[in-house]
């Protein structure tokens, strides 16, 4: 029989054991049992209680015994069922003698209490006080407080997990496991808060059952079986005390287990290892030895007891000190000396494609002791951009660079510097909103992100600047905004083949047939990654990758170049592109070209098919100049719009415009959905008379 069959049989046996156990518990309550079965059940009860106690003591953290609340409930039900069964046997057969209720009850009623039921009563009451007043009450209070603090800390722990995931410190699977552990911990302490009430109720029930057995036994013995009051008291009180003790001792073990679980502190050691590691300091044992020796010197004290105890403590302390010295004398394994001629890959490669280098004066912005305001904003930026762009933005590595001026910073993406400026951590940046009531004193500068006029002002002038109409932001916000804009502009540099594979894997989980037709059957992975990068270059997000994949699958079989594939996909996902420019219910503001200029642009592309820059230099300068005259008023008014061109020249025109106006979207007529309303807000070349389109005029770059 192989291991798989054995595991399957084990799971089947475990699944069927619990229902059978519950049937046994019910049977003990309603079906009369013999003294032999009762003895076996009592021994099983003690065995189960000891097992639970041992598991609780060996747990490294409370969640290692996450089933404890349910196990505690089942053990309590089993013990109460035994109380019902034993009460029935004691009351029915008690007049026959102490042996009538079984050997276990007789042993606890005679041997453990010496045959004196009065002593037995006091022993039982002492156990009740210990269990109910001390252990159970304390464990219940600890459970209640632990549950309250665990639930209060739940949102913070979940946010910390999300922050670690966004920072790239944990994988998605690790984050999922940590979230599950946090949820399980909250459920565990909530369950323990309620389970402690079972232990308390069980202790009270044991006391009531004792009185029922005593009073019921006296009544039945005297009036039903003709025993004298003293005979009935001797038999039934002994049996009642034995029954109570045989149930109370397992209850005490379970109470200790519950208290040990809820008072555990997470540690790599079990309870004995944790206690041993914390009591291993030699000076502690020497101090105890000295105190015991001084007590032993007092004439009235028993020297023969105190002095040996002091000697034992001194010996333990001496042995612990010797072990510590030996451990310190063992030299750590020597690390091999670095080869001065060896150059490792870690010396020449960056660990993250996104880097933020800061001068020494900006270190407080990332200091954890001061709240790390910049790191918190960077995490938020990565989360937001990942959601907007459709792929996970890698972690931003922040390093201090002594070669930079103190207040300077530099942003690099894929090894290329995409932004740099300086901020002053003890000042505020006041941006000119264009509608100022009056000016304030400050150091003039330009906003690093948008190039707006701004001032660096003292923090004490913040309220005055706001009242004057300035928009005031702190240094960490200035750097975070600049970083955000830089990452958006260089998003295509962050997207690689691994990210493309991650998109396909996510697609496969929800649309397996589409993913199968996309790759590897339809397109090789590098070509998919290249198309995604081409879309990101023009700020087309990948968050709805299913639409992009469907467009690509629909083009399988057509012999298209990479550039033609990008244009064809754009035409099929035009609705996605348009909604990144304006909301769905608003008409699309467009800037168009006159037919003359558009013909010139198309001719240039046809004359240089596949060229990166098909336009002649003079022609390019003229195009950019006229586009600037048309779009700058729209950019200053922060109005969303698109520059619309022919599908033939759209790609080349987009590269030309993007170099000067990176925020201007260039689309083709075929990307606009048929049901989308448009509004022409400007026409480039509208005031220029129509020119002929002979080749000489084009080749010379004569553009109206």
């Amino acid at each position: 029989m192989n291991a798989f069959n054995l595991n399957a049989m084990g799971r089947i046996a475990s699944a069927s054991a619990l229902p059978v156990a519950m049937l046994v518990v019910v049977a003990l309550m309603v079906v009369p049992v013999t003294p032999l079965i009762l003895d076996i059940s009592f021994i099983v009860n003690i065995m189960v209680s000891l097992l639970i106690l041992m598991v609780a003591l060996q747990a490294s953290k409370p969640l290692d015994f996450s089933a404890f609340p349910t196990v505690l409930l089942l053990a309590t039900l089993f013990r109460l069922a035994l109380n019902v069964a034993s009460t029935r046997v004691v009351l029915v057969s008690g007049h026959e003698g102490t042996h009538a209720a079984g050997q276990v009850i007789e042993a606890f009623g005679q041997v453990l209490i010496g045959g004196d039921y009065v002593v037995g009563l006091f022993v039982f009451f002492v156990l009740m006080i210990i269990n109910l007043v001390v252990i159970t009450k304390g464990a219940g209070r600890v459970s209640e407080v632990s549950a309250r603090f665990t639930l209060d800390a739940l949102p913070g722990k979940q946010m910390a997990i999300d922050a670690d995931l966004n920072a790239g410190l944990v994988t998605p699977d690790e984050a999922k496991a940590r979230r599950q552990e946090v949820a399980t911990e909250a459920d565990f302490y909530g369950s323990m808060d309620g389970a402690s009430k079972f232990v308390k109720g069980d202790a009270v029930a044991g006391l009531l059952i004792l009185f029922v057995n005593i009073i019921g036994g006296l009544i039945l013995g005297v009036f039903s079986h003709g025993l004298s009051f003293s005979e009935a008291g001797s038999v039934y009180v002994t049996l009642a005390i034995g029954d109570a003790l045989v149930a109370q001792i397992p209850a005490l073990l379970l109470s200790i287990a519950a208290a040990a679980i809820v008072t555990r502190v997470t540690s790599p050691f079990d309870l004995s290892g944790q206690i041993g590691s914390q009591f291993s300091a030699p000076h502690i044992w020497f101090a105890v030895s000295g105190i015991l020796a001084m007590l032993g010197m007092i004439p009235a004290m028993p020297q023969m007891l105190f002095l040996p105890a002091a000697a034992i403590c001194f010996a333990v302390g001496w042995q612990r000190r010797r072990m510590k010295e030996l451990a310190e004398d063992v030299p750590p394994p020597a690390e091999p000396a670095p080869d001065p001629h060896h150059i490792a890959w870690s010396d020449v490669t960056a660990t993250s494609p996104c880097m933020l280098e800061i001068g020494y004066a900006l270190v407080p912005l990332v200091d954890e002791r001061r709240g790390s305001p910049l790191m918190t904003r960077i995490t938020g930026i990565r989360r937001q951009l990942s959601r907007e762009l459709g792929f996970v933005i890698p972690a931003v590595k922040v390093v201090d660079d002594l070669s930079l001026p103190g207040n300077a910073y530099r942003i690099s993406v894929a090894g290329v510097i995409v932004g740099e400026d300086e901020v002053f951590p003890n000042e505020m940046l006041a941006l000119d909103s264009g509608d100022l009531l009056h000016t304030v004193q400050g150091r003039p500068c330009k906003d690093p992100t948008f190039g707006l006029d701004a001032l660096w002002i003292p923090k004490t002038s913040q309220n005055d600047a706001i009242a004057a109409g300035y928009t005031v932001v702190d240094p960490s916000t200035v750097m975070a905004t600049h970083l955000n804009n830089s990452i958006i502009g260089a998003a295509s540099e962050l997207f690689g083949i691994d990210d493309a594979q991650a998109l396909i894997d996510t697609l496969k989980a929800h649309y397996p047939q589409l993913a199968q037709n996309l790759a590897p059957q339809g397109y090789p992975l590098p070509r998919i990654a290249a198309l995604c990068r081409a879309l990101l270059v023009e700020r087309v997000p990948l968050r709805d990758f299913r639409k992009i994949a469907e467009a690509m699958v629909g083009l399988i079989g057509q012999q298209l170049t990479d550039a033609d594939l990008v244009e064809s996909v754009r035409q099929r996902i035009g609705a996605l592109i348009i909604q990144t420019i304006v909301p769905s219910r608003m008409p699309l503001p467009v800037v168009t070209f006159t037919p003359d200029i558009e013909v010139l642009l198309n001719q240039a592309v046809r004359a240089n098919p596949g060229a990166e820059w098909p336009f002649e230099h003079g022609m390019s300068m003229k195009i950019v100049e006229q586009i600037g005259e048309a779009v700058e008023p729209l950019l200053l008014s922060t109005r969303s719009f698109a520059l619309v061109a022919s599908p033939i020249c759209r790609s080349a025109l987009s590269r030309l415009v993007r170099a000067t106006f990176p925020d201007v979207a260039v689309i083709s007529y075929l990307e606009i959905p048929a049901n989308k309303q448009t509004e022409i807000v400007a026409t480039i070349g509208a005031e220029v008379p129509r020119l002929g389109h002979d080749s000489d005029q084009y080749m010379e770059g004569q553009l109206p």
Side-chain angles (χ1 to χ4, degrees):
M1 185 178 295
N2 56 33
F4 176 79
N5 292 332
L6 290 174
N7 291 334
M9 292 178 61
R11 287 194 296 270
I12 294 174
S14 299
S16 60
L18 188 58
V20 171
M22 294 306 299
L23 291 177
V24 170
V25 169
V26 175
L28 287 174
M29 291 183 179
V30 298
V31 178
V33 295
T34 63
L36 177 61
I37 295 178
L38 196 61
D39 287 343
I40 295 174
S41 299
F42 278 130
I43 294 174
V44 170
N45 184 27
I46 296 174
M47 179 187 68
V48 169
S49 300
L50 288 172
L51 284 173
I52 294 173
L53 178 61
M54 292 300 105
V55 174
L57 294 179
Q58 294 297 319
S60 299
K61 56 181 182 295
L63 289 185
D64 287 347
F65 199 2
S66 58
F68 182 75
T70 304
V71 172
L72 182 62
L73 170 62
L74 297 178
T76 302
L77 289 176
F78 181 51
R79 190 167 57 257
L80 292 176
L82 285 179
N83 283 333
V84 174
S86 62
T87 297
R88 183 187 299 110
V89 171
V90 168
L91 295 180
V92 171
S93 305
H95 64 282
E96 299 176 5
T98 56
H99 64 278
Q103 298 180 19
V104 175
I105 292 180
E106 182 180 19
F108 274 81
Q110 292 185 349
V111 177
L112 294 186
I113 63 176
D116 190 342
Y117 57 83
V118 177
V119 175
L121 279 176
F122 285 112
V123 171
F124 174 76
F125 287 141
V126 169
L127 289 177
M128 282 289 299
I129 292 172
I130 294 173
N131 189 10
L132 184 60
V133 178
V134 180
I135 301 176
T136 303
K137 186 176 181 180
R141 179 57 179 168
V142 172
S143 299
E144 179 183 354
V145 174
S146 299
R148 183 185 307 165
F149 280 100
T150 301
L151 292 176
D152 290 343
L154 185 60
K157 291 181 179 179
Q158 292 176 338
M159 291 177 64
I161 295 172
D162 292 339
D164 289 346
L165 177 61
N166 292 326
L169 301 178
V170 296
T171 63
D173 292 338
E174 292 173 340
K176 183 178 180 180
R178 287 176 57 180
R179 290 192 192 98
Q180 181 63 36
E181 182 178 358
V182 169
T184 304
E185 183 182 15
D187 294 340
F188 173 79
Y189 282 110
S191 299
M192 282 302 301
D193 187 23
S196 61
K197 305 300 188 295
F198 293 132
V199 179
K200 181 178 180 180
D202 178 40
V204 175
L207 181 62
L208 297 177
I209 291 173
L210 172 66
F211 289 135
V212 168
N213 285 337
I214 293 176
I215 296 173
L218 291 175
I219 294 175
L220 290 174
V222 173
F223 295 101
S224 298
H225 302 295
L227 299 176
S228 65
F229 186 82
S230 60
E231 292 175 338
S234 175
V235 173
Y236 283 102
V237 172
T238 301
L239 290 177
I241 295 173
D243 179 31
L245 288 176
V246 79
Q248 193 61 34
I249 290 177
L252 181 62
L253 295 178
L254 285 183
S255 299
I256 296 173
I261 282 290
V262 297
T263 56
R264 287 287 285 120
V265 177
T266 301
S267 169
F269 307 103
D270 57 15
L271 187 58
S272 58
Q274 185 178 1
I275 294 175
S277 64
Q278 296 177 359
F279 278 81
S280 61
H283 64 276
I284 296 177
W285 293 94
F286 290 146
V288 173
S289 174
I291 295 173
L292 290 178
M294 287 189 292
L295 291 175
M297 295 299 180
I298 300 176
M301 293 293 178
Q303 288 86 1
M304 297 305 297
L305 296 178
F306 275 102
L307 295 180
I312 291 174
C313 290
F314 183 83
V316 171
W318 179 266
Q319 188 264 347
R320 297 304 304 174
R321 191 174 71 174
R322 288 292 303 162
M323 291 180 61
K324 185 176 180 180
E325 291 175 351
L326 291 175
E328 292 176 351
D329 291 339
V330 176
E335 297 183 358
D339 185 359
H341 303 290
H342 176 70
I343 301 176
W345 280 105
S346 58
D347 298 329
V348 296
T349 58
T351 57
S352 176
C354 294
M355 291 190 65
L356 175 61
E357 300 169 90
I358 59 176
Y360 64 89
L362 303 183
V363 172
L365 296 179
V366 296
D367 190 354
E368 294 183 357
R369 294 171 297 179
R370 304 188 182 188
S372 302
L374 181 58
M375 299 304 298
T376 303
R377 293 182 183 275
I378 290 176
T379 301
I381 287 172
R382 291 186 58 236
R383 183 185 297 111
Q384 182 65 24
L385 289 181
S386 299
R387 189 179 298 114
E388 291 179 357
L389 297 177
F391 70 99
V392 177
I393 301 297
V396 179
K397 183 178 181 180
V398 181
V399 296
D400 57 331
D401 189 344
L402 296 179
S403 65
L404 290 175
N407 296 309
Y409 66 90
R410 181 188 298 141
I411 301 171
S412 303
V413 175
V416 178
I417 298 175
V418 295
E420 56 184 345
D421 213 298
E422 62 177 4
V423 297
F424 300 90
N426 297 321
E427 299 181 12
M428 305 291 284
L429 184 67
L431 299 172
D432 187 350
S433 62
D435 187 19
L436 302 178
L437 299 179
H438 58 84
T439 60
V440 297
Q441 296 296 322
R443 189 185 306 108
C445 65
K446 292 287 186 180
D447 168 47
T449 306
F450 306 107
L452 302 176
D453 292 331
L455 298 172
W456 282 106
I457 61 174
K459 290 184 177 181
T460 55
S461 303
Q462 178 178 355
N463 294 333
D464 295 337
I466 295 175
Y470 288 91
T471 300
V472 181
V473 292
D474 59 272
S476 60
T477 302
V478 174
M479 296 177 63
T481 305
H482 195 185
L483 177 66
N484 178 83
N485 196 64
S486 300
I487 292 177
I488 292 176
S492 61
E493 299 296 331
L494 299 175
F495 190 90
I497 293 180
D498 292 331
D499 300 291
Q501 184 62 57
L503 286 177
I504 295 173
D505 292 341
T506 304
L507 186 70
K508 189 182 300 183
H510 301 282
Y511 307 98
Q513 291 301 320
L514 177 60
Q516 183 179 358
N517 283 276
L518 177 64
Q521 295 182 3
Y523 300 92
L525 187 61
R527 194 175 189 191
I528 297 174
L531 181 136
C532 292
R533 282 195 294 269
L535 294 176
L536 289 171
V537 164
E538 301 194 56
R539 303 195 178 185
V540 178
L542 307 177
R543 59 175 176 265
D544 197 347
F545 186 67
R546 181 179 68 88
K547 288 289 187 182
I548 299 173
E550 288 176 345
M552 296 182 68
V553 170
L555 297 169
I556 292 176
Q558 301 184 25
Q559 300 299 322
L560 300 174
T561 64
D562 289 347
D564 293 337
L565 177 62
V566 172
E567 294 303 309
S568 299
V569 169
R570 285 181 60 96
Q571 293 168 14
R572 293 181 176 230
I573 64 169
L576 294 178
I577 298 174
I578 299 302
Q579 74 180 10
T580 63
I581 302 173
V582 292
S584 58
R585 295 185 179 182
M586 290 181 58
L588 173 65
V590 296
V591 176
T592 62
F593 293 95
T594 61
D596 296 325
I597 296 182
E598 193 156 317
V599 168
L600 284 176
L601 297 175
N602 292 339
Q603 286 180 350
V605 174
R606 288 194 182 100
N608 299 278
E612 186 77 12
W613 303 99
F615 309 121
E616 189 269 337
H617 178 69
M619 181 182 183
S620 300
M621 298 294 292
K622 201 67 175 178
I623 292 173
V624 173
E625 180 183 349
Q626 293 198 9
I627 291 176
E629 294 175 357
V631 305
E632 281 185 355
L634 300 173
L635 293 175
L636 291 176
S637 63
T638 66
R639 185 175 183 183
S640 298
F641 66 95
L643 181 62
V644 181
S646 166
I648 299 173
C649 65
R650 190 214 69 82
S651 179
L653 184 63
S654 177
R655 289 192 294 272
L656 178 62
V657 173
R658 193 164 57 245
T660 307
F661 304 102
D663 296 328
V664 175
V666 182
I667 64 175
S668 73
Y669 300 117
L670 299 181
E671 296 173 16
I672 303 176
N675 60 349
K676 185 65 177 180
Q677 296 182 356
T678 59
E679 174 190 357
I680 299 177
V681 294
T683 301
I684 298 174
E687 299 179 358
V688 178
R690 184 182 181 85
L691 297 178
H693 305 117
D694 54 74
S695 58
D696 295 339
Q697 195 175 38
Y698 159 69
M699 293 301 294
E700 293 176 4
Q702 295 178 4
L703 181 69

